[in-house]
Amino acid sequence: AALLLQVRLVMKAHSFIRENVPRVLSSVKDKSGIVHIPRISQYLYFLFAPTLIYRDNYPRNPTIRWGYVATKFAQVLGSLFYAYYIFVRLCIPQFRNSSQETFNLRGLVLCIFNSILPGVLILFLVFFAFLHCWLNAFAEMLRFADRMFYK
């Protein structure tokens, strides 16, 4: 999780630098007294907004729909509990007895094949919980309206 957070921050820093350095260099080259640098509040909003492309201003919704936020967080919790249930019921029993038995290639292959489907289900649940529910909940709390791009 820490590695993913660091990768996200590096990507955001790259976008921020890529968007702002040419502006600063052009204003220095023109020798105009005005250097357009972003405010700290713009940068902080960008750090928490669910986007990797820096802009000074993003489209914003007028209000926060707290019911929508609660629904998304409930879906995150539901997804995590369901993933835990799948893991406990379908994955752990496959490997529980393997530590007490002698190594058997056939048994290992059967354990792996029997846990492929539950593993894929858990993967889908984690992607749904994070990429759909978690990010949409934070986008709603930040009033980030760019999610409505196709409407």
Side-chain angles (χ1 to χ4, degrees):
L3 181 64
L4 294 176
L5 180 63
Q6 291 298 318
V7 168
R8 182 182 71 89
L9 288 175
V10 165
M11 291 169 68
K12 283 190 176 251
H14 174 75
S15 176
F16 180 77
I17 291 169
R18 185 177 175 123
E19 289 293 322
N20 287 302
V21 166
R23 268 196 307 193
V24 171
L25 291 178
S26 68
S27 65
V28 168
K29 189 184 297 182
D30 296 341
K31 296 191 174 149
S32 62
I34 301 169
V35 178
H36 299 285
I37 58 172
R39 295 186 313 269
I40 296 294
S41 61
Q42 292 171 325
Y43 181 69
L44 286 175
Y45 183 83
F46 169 64
L47 283 181
F48 291 101
T51 183
L52 293 174
I53 300 171
Y54 177 79
R55 298 287 179 255
D56 286 335
N57 295 311
Y58 294 97
R60 305 283 298 266
N61 288 331
T63 60
I64 299 173
R65 298 174 296 170
W66 289 108
Y68 181 80
V69 172
T71 301
K72 291 301 170 192
F73 281 135
Q75 288 176 349
V76 168
L77 286 175
S79 297
L80 292 177
F81 281 125
Y82 189 48
Y84 173 76
Y85 178 78
I86 290 172
F87 189 73
V88 167
R89 288 294 189 162
L90 299 175
C91 292
I92 290 177
Q94 294 295 324
F95 294 97
R96 179 168 286 152
N97 297 330
S98 63
S99 63
Q100 295 150 354
E101 298 174 4
T102 59
F103 179 73
N104 182 354
L105 185 61
R106 181 182 177 275
L108 179 66
V109 169
L110 284 174
C111 283
I112 290 172
F113 278 118
N114 286 335
S115 58
I116 285 176
L117 183 61
V120 169
L121 286 173
I122 290 171
L123 186 68
F124 284 150
L125 283 170
V126 168
F127 278 130
F128 171 75
F130 179 71
L131 294 177
H132 178 69
C133 300
W134 187 264
L135 291 179
N136 274 323
F138 273 94
E140 186 66 32
M141 287 189 295
L142 291 170
R143 298 185 301 133
F144 187 76
D146 202 28
R147 299 173 294 129
M148 309 297 179
F149 179 75
Y150 292 106
K151 283 191 175 183

